[in-house]
Structure formats: C-alpha cells, structure tokens
Amino acid sequence: MDKTTLIPVIKVESLCKSYKKIKAVNQVSFSVNKGEVFGLIGPDGAGKTSIIQILAGVLKADEGKAFINDIDVTKNPEKAKAIIGYMPQGLGLNLYDSLSIEENIEFFRGLRLIPDEIFEKNKKTLLEITRLTPFLKRQARALSGGMRQKLALVCTLLHLPDIILLDEPTTGVDPLSRQDFWNIIHGLVRERGVTVLLTTSYMDEAERCHRVALMHEGRILLQGSPDELGNLEEVFIEKVSSSQKVSSSHLKEVPFSHSESFFCRSERSEESHIISCKSVTKIFGKFKAVDSVTFDVKRGEILGLLGPNGAGKTTLIKMMCGLLEPSGGSISINGFDVRKEKKKIWSTIGYMSQRFSLYRDLTVMENMKLYAGLYSVKKGDFRGIIELLGLKGLENRTTKDLPLGIRQRVALACALLHEPPVLFLDEPTSGVDPIARRSFWKIIFELSRKRGVTVIVSTHYMDEAENCDRLCLMHHGRLIAMGSPEEIKKGSEKISGTLIQLKSKQFHQVYDLIIKEIQNISIYGSKIFIRSFEPETTIRKIEELLKNAQIREYEIIEVTVPLQEAFVDYIRESEDN
C-alpha cells in the first residue's frame, strides 16, 4: 500500500485478557492503517481470537484500550458495530444451515436494516465477486467449506463496512477457495479502501498481508511487513526458541519395541508398491464422489493427498482403510484386498484423524493402554514409542492439560501402537504452532526414511505439501495431477506460464497502470504476480509502462511458482477440459 495513506483506523494499546489463570492476551499493542490488510499470525491458543472479539464488541477486555475510528470499544462497543463487519471463526459459523443462500442474505439484511436500494446493489456486487449467484436456492448445510465461507463473507459485507474483522477466515478451506477468498479481500481493499484485520494460523498467508504481527501465548513476538521480517516460520521458531527450551526438538533413533524386526511381519507383501489403487470409483446415488482413480504408492513413500473441499479425498481414504466399499475398481494394501481382507487391512494401517479423538480426561499412558487393547497389542512396554515421539516424562499427564502439538503426538503414538506399515494422517497439524509442526514432520521423516513406513497425508498447508515425496491432486473425484512438488510446479508453468513478481512503493498506481494492459494478474499483499509464456517480452512491456508513467522505484523478477498457485492452475485447467 502507498505510504502516503497511513491513517490508523484500528489502535490497540496494552490489551490484556485472562481466562482464570491463563493470560490469553498479554500487553498487546498494534495499529492498522486505512486500506491495509493486517494479519495476526499464530497457532491456536495464541490470543488472536480474543483480540478480534474484543474489537468486535463481543468480549470484554481486562485491561488496556482498543479503538476503531477513535471509538474506544472497551467502553462503548455498540457505537462501533455499525461501521464494522465481523466474521467469527468456523466454517460459516454465523450462518443458518436450514436457510438457503438467498434466505441467509435476506436474514442479515434485516439485522442490519439496510435500505432496499443499497441492499440490492451490494447484494448483486457481492454475489458476482463470490460467484454464488447460481446457488441461491441451495441450503447452507449443503455447501462446501469454501462456499460457506464465501456466503459468510457476503453476509458480513452486506452493509459494505469500512472495517472488516475476519477470524480464521480460511482455516479448513481448500487452496482454490482460499485463492478466491483473498482475491475478494484485495479487490475490496483496492477498489473501496476497506481496512481488514484478520487472524490465521497459516504462515504462508502472511505473504498476502501488507503487515503482520506474529503471536505466541498471548504476546506479539514481532511485527512488520512480510518482506521486512523474512521467512516467518524461521523467525517464529527463533523467537520462541530463544525464550524457552523447546522440548523434543530432536529425535532419538530408538525402535518401537526391543525386537530387531521392527515392522517386519511374516504376513505382508514384499513388492515395492505397498498401496495400489486401480480405477477406484465410489458412487452415492447419482453422485460420483470418486471417479476411476488409479495410482500406486511405494513402500516408505510420503504421499500428499490434496484437493478442494468435496474433491473426494476423504472418500478415497475411507475406501483405502476398508471403511467404505468401492463401487468399482480395486484397492490392495500390503498385498491385501480391501474388499475381501478387511481385518488384515485394519491390522496393517494406522489412522490419525484431524480432530483430536483421544480421551481428554485420561493420561497419556491410559490412552495408550486403551488403544493397545483396541488393537489387541499384548505387550505393555511402550518405552520405545514414548521416546521416539518425545513423550517421556508426560506419561501421567492428562491429555487435556497438554499443548495441542503434544496432544497430536499422543494421537500419533496411539495410531502406531500396533506397528502398522501404512499410516494415514488427516490434516495432522491443523492449528499447531510451527515448532510443533516441524517436530511432527521430523517424526514423519523418521518413520518413512528409517522405519520404512508408508505415509498418506492430507493437508491444506502448502508448506507441508512441499515435504511430501509426491503429491496427488484431486478435483471432482478425479485425479488431475500427480508428481513431486517440483514436477507439479513445472507443470503449472506449462499451464499458465512463468511467474513474474513486481513490487513497488507506488503499489496502487502501478497496479492500475498494468491491469489495463496485461492479463492474468493476482495480488499477494504488496506484491503483484503476473503469469506469462513470454516473460522477457512481458517484463520489457511492464518496464516501458512504468518508465512512461515516470515510476522509477520498483523491482521486477522471475520467481518460482508457489505450490498454492500451481494447485489453482491444475484445478482451473481441469474445469476447462
């Protein structure tokens, strides 16, 4: 954004909020300028939601002040509500499931008492930019996660407020919907000068903000523009690590059991491909959830399963786990047919769900003993797995008292108790801080590289997808791309061309100049991305435009296509075919 427009419209000063003995917000101060996208970035429990709720007037602060357009919301929250749009955390949490898209919009129109003329104009504009017009009669409960968030945004923006507060707007939303969501936000900022304060646990989304504040345990660690701060994950880890000792940051190479034959079972396939899916199809009534999917997975490979909400990923995983019967095709895991040998399949695989599924009132050891009984694991010595997963010393702690990252390790320990050669992970690190995520992935690499475990992981974190050996992209039930992250990116360049990055302090002037002459443009915070099959020609054209407009301060370079952009390219290509 242009520095000439730095007018603070949100100001937070020494804000504090406690829940019993937990200080959720601890002396937090920051400001957000008019027409700026400001991100509060951090894991679950960092204090982000409490700050948003205080600014929205739905939560009372213990100490400090918070201003919106010079209105102190800690003293007079009702006065500020007319000028803000607030979207709470959760996939369309502010919607009514039994109402259609149109009925939800009408309901929020009534709440805001929006005059007919303004309402019809705003409704038409918002439905166009969210592309929801064809689905007006569909009930909210029948919408995908991405569509729910778009509808929630429409309802939030019906009165077109000058200030928007968005709490975790893209959590649980697929990369394509995230891209659409950000295009809408930046369009509102560019065209209407809207100010946006949002929270997110996705570090890669910080690139799309003008400025960010990194948060951890109620405090702001650092704030500034993404360019100024550098690699945010590295910065976060460095800041947190310097102030506290990070437990289990390295992994010991110890076996799960005292046996030398770790995961070496007599009853298993010795083929290099441990998973084989051939023309796998699943039909529910007239709906084809999975459409003739074929692929193999090598022993010890980490395969990332990616796709928009409703792409068929979960249905495919359930079929591979023997929980759903395929309508067509065949699946074998470790040489066992999922149709005929379900019990052998279940003893061959480990599954860790996205939602923490253990008993919170039981200790770590009690949970492990419970799952050992479910898996018919007779041995009671869990020292190997406890050490491997960094749980030593925590055996007698109740799981509800553990940080989210440690709870995820407990869930992983329980999924591995029966020593399965295949492990399924469904969004395993959602909401977990970067240190815990990095430690978790060290464990995954240990299992894959040292122990030969095959890992199938679904994730919406694009930086996690980079860790996979291969990626499997699905859309509308079909497999649309498969390959290593680098192969996926190179394939993306064949679809949409080389990626050119343009930065300038005169952002708005530059954008307005080139959008008239060049197509295929997107915005990432203060950066402009241009796709071109003739990058050298395009760069010369841009430089000529800037020169003629007497713009001298800018940077234009070719950059590697982010996996997020590549993902969107494949989705859109599949829809065009």
Side-chain angles (χ1 to χ4, degrees):
M1 61 181 296
D2 298 336
K3 292 192 174 181
T4 55
T5 61
L6 299 184
I7 304 170
V9 293
I10 298 175
K11 290 183 287 186
V12 172
E13 300 174 357
S14 302
L15 203 63
C16 295
K17 179 64 184 178
S18 296
Y19 301 97
K20 295 182 179 179
K21 294 182 180 180
I22 299 173
K23 204 146 196 175
V25 181
N26 191 356
Q27 295 291 325
V28 167
S29 299
F30 65 89
S31 64
V32 184
N33 299 311
K34 180 176 174 57
E36 183 175 40
V37 180
F38 190 97
L40 294 174
I41 315 293
D44 290 350
K48 310 183 304 294
T49 294
S50 294
I51 294 171
I52 287 275
Q53 289 179 341
I54 290 169
L55 286 166
V58 298
L59 185 67
K60 189 175 180 180
D62 296 333
E63 299 175 33
K65 295 181 179 181
F67 298 90
I68 291 181
N69 271 4
D70 294 325
I71 301 168
D72 189 344
V73 295
T74 62
K75 295 179 179 178
N76 194 356
E78 294 301 320
K79 191 175 179 181
K81 287 183 179 180
I83 60 173
I84 66 170
Y86 167 55
M87 191 169 123
Q89 184 177 350
L91 290 175
L93 194 64
N94 57 339
L95 303 177
Y96 288 86
D97 282 351
S98 60
L99 299 183
S100 66
I101 287 179
E102 191 161 36
E103 289 167 340
N104 267 288
I105 293 171
E106 288 287 346
F107 175 79
F108 279 87
R109 175 259 186 102
L111 285 181
R112 288 288 184 180
L113 301 175
I114 305 170
D116 289 351
E117 186 178 339
I118 295 174
F119 169 71
E120 291 301 332
K121 180 182 177 182
N122 292 354
K123 176 185 173 183
K124 183 175 184 293
T125 300
L126 291 168
L127 286 175
E128 282 177 358
I129 62 178
T130 55
R131 301 199 298 273
L132 288 176
T133 303
F135 312 102
L136 287 176
K137 301 301 180 185
R138 186 177 297 182
Q139 284 188 321
R141 65 162 57 95
L143 301 176
S144 68
M147 290 177 73
R148 284 182 69 87
Q149 288 301 75
K150 289 178 187 177
L151 176 56
L153 187 62
V154 169
C155 295
T156 300
L157 300 177
L158 267 178
H159 59 305
L160 283 184
D162 294 327
I163 298 167
I164 310 172
L165 307 176
L166 305 174
D167 191 11
E168 301 273 1
T170 58
T171 295
V173 175
D174 64 84
L176 180 61
S177 295
R178 284 168 66 190
Q179 181 88 314
D180 284 344
F181 198 91
W182 276 102
N183 286 340
I184 294 166
I185 294 301
H186 279 294
L188 291 167
V189 170
R190 188 179 67 254
E191 294 164 18
R192 299 185 56 85
V194 170
T195 303
V196 180
L197 174 63
L198 63 89
T199 70
T200 181
S201 61
Y202 293 107
M203 287 285 173
D204 59 329
E205 293 208 323
E207 290 288 332
R208 298 175 179 266
C209 300
H210 296 114
R211 286 191 304 129
V212 298
L214 295 184
M215 292 195 67
H216 181 61
E217 295 182 349
R219 291 184 179 273
I220 289 181
L221 301 176
L222 209 61
Q223 55 182 307
S225 72
D227 282 345
E228 291 168 348
L229 298 180
N231 185 311
L232 292 182
E233 183 163 310
E234 294 291 344
V235 170
F236 184 98
I237 291 171
E238 182 184 345
K239 283 287 181 182
V240 175
S241 299
S242 63
S243 61
Q244 65 183 49
K245 184 179 179 181
V246 182
S247 63
S248 306
S249 59
H250 67 282
L251 299 169
K252 297 180 180 179
E253 295 186 19
V254 292
F256 281 84
S257 67
H258 299 297
S259 170
E260 291 298 323
S261 58
F262 171 64
F263 285 166
C264 292
R265 303 180 173 198
S266 58
E267 206 180 4
R268 78 173 188 187
S269 167
E270 295 301 328
E271 298 175 3
S272 60
H273 290 127
I274 193 169
I275 299 175
S276 180
C277 294
K278 295 181 180 178
S279 302
V280 178
T281 301
K282 182 62 182 177
I283 301 172
F284 297 100
K286 296 181 180 180
F287 176 64
K288 193 173 282 188
V290 176
D291 188 358
S292 300
V293 169
T294 297
F295 65 86
D296 295 316
V297 186
K298 296 178 181 178
R299 190 177 303 280
E301 185 176 22
I302 302 174
L303 179 73
L305 196 56
L306 309 177
N309 299 105
K313 306 184 301 298
T314 299
T315 302
L316 180 60
I317 287 175
K318 285 182 177 179
M319 286 191 286
M320 286 193 282
C321 292
L323 300 175
L324 273 179
E325 189 82 10
S327 303
S330 63
I331 305 172
S332 68
I333 296 181
N334 214 29
F336 304 130
D337 188 315
V338 294
R339 290 178 186 269
K340 303 173 183 177
E341 302 171 284
K342 282 189 173 62
K343 288 186 178 180
K344 290 182 179 178
I345 291 290
W346 292 336
S347 66
T348 299
I349 64 172
Y351 176 70
M352 180 180 158
S353 65
Q354 178 181 357
R355 297 185 181 276
F356 184 63
S357 57
L358 304 182
Y359 290 88
R360 294 175 180 270
D361 291 330
L362 297 183
T363 66
V364 170
M365 183 57 72
E366 287 169 342
N367 267 295
M368 291 178 69
K369 286 181 178 178
L370 174 65
Y371 272 77
L374 293 175
Y375 285 125
S376 300
V377 176
K378 295 179 181 179
K379 67 179 182 188
D381 186 356
F382 304 129
R383 285 177 296 176
I385 194 169
I386 284 171
E387 286 205 36
L388 179 72
L389 300 190
L391 298 173
K392 191 172 183 180
L394 302 173
E395 295 92 335
N396 297 319
R397 292 273 298 276
T398 54
T399 53
K400 68 181 179 182
D401 296 327
L402 296 173
L404 181 58
I406 302 298
R407 288 188 222 162
Q408 296 295 73
R409 292 194 212 173
V410 179
L412 180 60
C414 292
L416 292 170
L417 283 172
H418 57 305
E419 301 180 356
V422 178
L423 179 63
F424 289 93
L425 304 174
D426 184 14
E427 298 276 344
T429 61
S430 181
V432 175
D433 71 73
I435 293 176
R437 286 175 61 202
R438 181 167 292 191
S439 181
F440 191 92
W441 272 94
K442 283 184 180 180
I443 295 168
I444 300 306
F445 279 116
E446 166 83 6
L447 291 168
S448 168
R449 302 304 189 251
K450 304 279 180 70
R451 322 272 177 171
V453 178
T454 302
V455 181
I456 311 296
V457 56
S458 68
T459 181
H460 284 158
Y461 288 105
M462 290 298 102
D463 56 340
E464 286 194 347
E466 296 271 9
N467 294 329
C468 299
D469 296 311
R470 284 190 302 155
L471 300 174
C472 175
L473 302 188
M474 292 186 66
H475 187 46
H476 292 325
R478 293 184 292 117
L479 179 61
I480 61 171
M482 193 159 192
S484 69
E486 289 307 313
E487 288 170 341
I488 295 292
K489 291 174 189 177
K490 287 178 181 176
S492 165
E493 291 184 345
K494 293 179 181 178
I495 297 170
S496 296
T498 300
L499 181 63
I500 300 167
Q501 176 183 286
L502 173 60
K503 292 195 297 183
S504 174
K505 293 179 180 178
Q506 297 167 272
F507 173 82
H508 291 295
Q509 187 180 347
V510 168
Y511 182 87
D512 291 340
L513 187 68
I514 67 170
I515 191 67
K516 298 172 184 175
E517 303 290 335
I518 297 173
Q519 303 299 315
N520 210 351
I521 292 176
S522 57
I523 299 173
Y524 274 63
S526 58
K527 300 172 184 174
I528 300 171
F529 280 0
I530 305 110
R531 302 297 291 273
S532 173
F533 289 104
E534 298 179 337
E536 292 180 4
T537 302
T538 301
I539 288 173
R540 284 197 300 270
K541 183 176 181 179
I542 293 171
E543 288 177 332
E544 188 67 25
L545 288 169
L546 299 179
K547 181 181 177 181
N548 292 339
Q550 297 185 343
I551 296 172
R552 299 286 181 262
E553 291 188 50
Y554 65 87
E555 177 189 82
I556 183 166
I557 55 174
E558 292 182 26
V559 294
T560 303
V561 178
L563 206 48
Q564 165 88 20
E565 287 282 320
F567 183 105
V568 173
D569 283 339
Y570 282 101
I571 297 291
R572 287 180 175 157
E573 183 191 46
S574 72
E575 290 180 340
D576 291 340
N577 293 337

